[in-house]
Every structure is written in C-alpha cells, then in structure tokens.
Amino acid sequence: MFSIKVKNLEYVLFIISAMVIPLYFTDFRLDAGGLIVRLSDILALFSISIFLLLLLKNKVAIKYPVGFNYICIFIIYCFFNALAQVGLTKAIVATVQWMLILFTLVVVYTSAVKNPEKFRVVFINTLLVICFFTLAYHLMHGHLTSYKFLGDARYSFALTGVILLSCAYYFDDKSYLKPLIFLYPVILLSLERKGILAFHLVAFFYIFIRLKPLLKFVMLALCSIALMLFALFYDLSFLNTFTFFEYSDLEMLYLDEEQALWISNLHRQSLVTNGWDIFTTHFVFGVGPKMLPVYMGDFYINQGLALYTHNVFLDTLIEQGSVGLFLLLLPYFIYITQGVGLKNKKDKIVFIALCLYSIFMLLFMSGGAPSMVIFYLPIFKAFIANKASD
C-alpha cells in the first residue's frame, strides 16, 4: 500500500512542479490580513512538503544547477542584514520569502531533469493555457488590446514565446513554432513594451545564430559600413547632451506630482532618479528588505507615488546593497566558470538567449516572485533545454 501511495505522491509532485513556475505568472492571489498569498505560493509550499517527505523516504534526490548551492550564502546574509537594519520580524519574513522561491526552483529542477520530455509538455501547455485565459479575460471585458489587467499575467505572453523559440532551436523541432502563429499577434496586441522588445531581441538573436557564416559576415559588414557612413556624414553633436531619460534633472528636482500621477514615464524616471540617490548613500549593505518605499517616501509629498523603481537590479542594490546583489549573482559566476551546464554550442546559445531576455526584462520590472523566476531562468534552462540522455 505504501509503495502505491509513494507513486501517487511522486506523480502529484511531478505535475505540480511542472505547473508551479508558469502559475507565478498569473494573478490568482488572496489578501490574507495584508499578506498577499498567491496560488503559486500555496502550490510551492505543497510541492516542497511532498518533496521533503519523499526525500526522507529516499525516493528523490535533490538536484540543482552547478553553483546554485552558493545561494545559501545570500540567504544567511539576507537574514542577518535584515536583522541588523529592520528587526527580527521583517528579517524572518524576508528570509522565508526568498527561501520559498529559491527552494521551489530546486524542486522544479529536480523534476525537470528526471523526466524532461513529459515535464516540458506540461510546462509549456500550462503557459499556453495561462496565455489563453489572460487573453479571454480581457476580450470578455472589452479590452481588445493592452492585456495588463491581470497583474503579472501580462508577462506570460513574451515568456511563452521565448520558451517556444528556445525549444525550437535546442531540439531543432519546428513544431514548437506552431503555437507562435497564434501567440505572436497576441504578444503585439498586449502592448507590454518590455515583453515585446525582449521577445524580438531573443528572436533576432536566434535568427542571427541560424544564419550561414557568409550571411552573418555580410550582415555585420553592412552594419559596420552603415555606422561608418553615419559617423562621417551625420552631425553627432547631439551625443554631447544625449541621455536615456526623457525628462531633465531640473524636472526631477522640482517634480510636478500632479503630472507624475498621470504620466507613467515621468513617474518612473523620478523613481529611478530617487532610487539611485538612496543607493549612493547606502551602497554597501542597502537599507534592508521592504524598506525602499519608506526611504522613497522622503522624496514625495503624495506618498502614493513612493513605489519601487521598476528595475530589479536597482531595487536589489537599494535594499540588499552591493554585497547582496553580488551574492545573488554568485551562482552565475560559478555556473559559467565551471561550464558544466554549457556542454555544447546549443546549451551556450540558449543560455545567452535567456540571459538577454532576463536582463532586459529585469531592467523594467519590480521585485517579486515572477522577477526572481526570470532572474534565475538562464541557469535553470534545463526546465526547457534538457534531454533524457543528459
């Protein structure tokens, strides 16, 4: 009887593991006394509980990418840094939140490498169902474009597209591109700018990689000639005052908060500007977890404007400091230098493509579980780019 129950538990664990990461890109959540609880968080805790039970019975073995075990150093740092700066309660909450998502990634990775083909089917189909549900919800509410009213679900379109492109390249299987016939117009109609740009960045990268060497040479030569002609015959004096920001320093200094309430770019630029000021005064250990809005409040009269910066790297630098961001990136340094997960050309190409996607998205996302999934997606590429023979 116990053997049957164990098999059932293993099957349940596998299905939940294959679905839980896509479910982080949904808006299924409950407000439990001020604490936002996601459906994905509940499933993550459930999967971790089953995993630990099976681990005690020696039915599963923990697996994770090379170097990811170094994230334990960050967990320890996160707790003691928070304890010193914001007290025991917030230190426990912040550490538990980090441990939940990070250990969930390990549980999912273990299932992914155990049965990669079946895992990939469930994983991708779950993403496609989420995309369909999100689209249907908006269409039923009269939103023919701009599918942004289900929170983090707006990121699912581009993410699914990138996953399909990566699988098509890695397995040299065009059947993965069939869903893109229907998904690509939806990606465009979603009007999620960073997702659209990140998807096209990855798509062009894969197209360039698949070109024949002669075509690559011709393309690079044409680009080089165009840049040379541009530099020779075009007035480049504008570079003296070039800036990536739309508004001037003076407008940031004397921010019109009434305008900032209605103009997204003005508000976001002010958040980045003010966030950088906070970081420069707390650049080593940061201000502590959950403290960014508190410090940001000093820059605004209307406290409703005091939000995170919509840049995961800057948010992390502000709250965890340079030390914290370095420790979060440490698994990447180990993973790349040891090269175990980059055994062949296709592994390297998929890793680079996912890095391009992750970096671009995180430059314009707020912190949270979805951003952490995207943060570590490249080194957890075995979710999608993994073969049974591996």
Side-chain angles (χ1 to χ4, degrees):
M1 286 295 292
F2 181 74
S3 61
I4 297 175
K5 290 181 180 179
V6 167
K7 287 182 179 179
N8 290 339
L9 283 176
E10 289 177 342
Y11 180 75
V12 170
L13 175 62
F14 179 82
I15 296 299
I16 293 176
S17 298
M19 294 176 63
V20 69
I21 295 301
L23 285 172
Y24 272 110
F25 296 89
T26 64
D27 199 44
F28 300 130
R29 62 178 74 192
L30 296 172
D31 187 349
L35 179 65
I36 302 299
V37 180
R38 297 168 177 264
L39 172 62
S40 49
D41 292 328
I42 296 173
L43 290 177
L45 285 170
F46 189 50
S47 64
I48 290 171
S49 300
I50 297 175
F51 184 85
L52 291 175
L53 178 61
L54 293 174
L55 188 66
L56 291 173
K57 298 295 181 181
N58 295 319
K59 298 297 180 180
V60 294
I62 296 177
K63 295 184 181 296
Y64 47 81
V66 172
F68 194 70
N69 51 319
Y70 285 84
I71 204 66
C72 294
I73 301 174
F74 170 78
I75 295 296
I76 296 169
Y77 165 82
C78 177
F79 176 77
F80 285 104
N81 185 43
L83 182 64
Q85 300 206 62
V86 295
L88 180 61
T89 301
K90 286 189 176 181
I92 294 173
V93 171
T95 306
V96 169
Q97 287 177 334
W98 277 103
M99 290 179 67
L100 175 63
I101 183 62
L102 295 173
F103 197 73
T104 299
L105 287 171
V106 172
V107 172
V108 175
Y109 185 87
T110 301
S111 296
V113 298
K114 185 177 181 179
N115 193 340
E117 285 84 0
K118 188 180 291 186
F119 179 92
R120 195 159 49 249
V121 170
V122 178
F123 187 89
I124 293 176
N125 285 339
T126 304
L127 277 173
L128 290 171
V129 169
I130 291 169
C131 291
F132 175 79
F133 176 84
T134 305
L135 175 63
Y137 173 89
H138 285 86
L139 293 179
M140 286 190 296
H141 287 78
H143 301 290
L144 301 180
T145 61
S146 188
Y147 311 136
K148 303 179 182 181
F149 298 94
L150 282 179
D152 296 324
R154 65 186 183 273
Y155 302 127
S156 62
F157 301 112
L159 174 63
T160 306
V162 168
I163 297 297
L164 291 171
L165 286 174
S166 299
C167 287
Y169 170 79
Y170 190 79
F171 298 102
D172 200 18
D173 186 351
K174 293 181 180 179
S175 66
Y176 285 105
L177 299 179
K178 291 179 181 178
L180 276 176
I181 298 173
F182 304 97
L183 184 62
Y184 182 67
V186 178
I187 293 174
L188 297 178
L189 291 172
S190 71
L191 302 184
E192 178 58 33
R193 291 173 294 179
K194 53 184 170 288
I196 293 171
L197 291 172
F199 171 79
H200 284 93
L201 181 65
V202 173
F204 288 138
F205 175 74
Y206 280 129
I207 290 171
F208 180 79
I209 292 299
R210 293 303 294 265
L211 290 176
K212 294 180 180 179
L214 180 60
L215 289 175
K216 289 181 184 178
F217 174 79
V218 171
M219 183 180 292
L220 290 173
L222 289 174
C223 290
S224 299
I225 292 171
L227 286 173
M228 184 178 65
L229 292 174
F230 181 78
L232 288 173
F233 299 105
Y234 193 81
D235 182 9
L236 299 180
S237 60
F238 72 93
L239 292 174
N240 294 327
T241 57
F242 176 78
T243 176
F244 287 103
F245 296 112
E246 183 177 352
Y247 299 94
S248 67
D249 292 340
L250 190 63
E251 288 174 299
M252 292 297 100
L253 185 61
Y254 299 100
L255 180 69
D256 186 333
E257 295 194 3
E258 287 296 323
Q259 279 192 324
L261 285 170
W262 299 99
I263 302 176
S264 176
N265 287 354
L266 177 60
H267 182 205
R268 291 196 177 195
Q269 184 176 327
S270 72
L271 289 171
V272 171
T273 302
N274 297 335
W276 185 256
D277 286 343
I278 297 171
F279 165 65
T280 54
T281 54
H282 303 81
F283 58 90
V284 179
F285 300 112
V287 298
K290 314 298 181 185
M291 293 301 292
L292 192 157
V294 176
Y295 280 78
M296 192 70 77
D298 296 337
F299 293 88
Y300 298 98
I301 297 173
N302 184 342
Q303 294 300 295
L305 294 171
L307 306 175
Y308 281 81
T309 68
H310 293 82
N311 182 316
V312 170
F313 299 111
L314 182 55
D315 287 346
T316 305
L317 282 170
I318 294 169
E319 292 198 334
Q320 302 290 351
S322 302
V323 175
L325 183 59
F326 171 77
L327 293 177
L328 279 173
L329 292 173
L330 184 59
Y332 274 96
F333 299 140
I334 306 300
Y335 184 82
I336 293 171
T337 53
Q338 294 195 8
V340 177
L342 305 173
K343 292 178 289 187
N344 55 52
K345 179 184 176 182
K346 284 193 172 182
D347 281 311
K348 294 175 183 177
I349 295 302
V350 171
F351 175 76
I352 294 171
L354 293 179
C355 282
L356 290 174
Y357 170 77
S358 297
I359 291 170
F360 191 90
M361 289 295 292
L362 295 175
L363 284 172
F364 305 99
M365 283 182 69
S366 294
S371 64
M372 281 300 99
V373 170
I374 293 176
F375 192 101
Y376 285 116
L377 183 60
I379 62 174
F380 281 90
K381 62 181 178 59
F383 289 169
I384 52 170
N386 190 34
K387 300 176 183 177
S389 59
D390 291 342

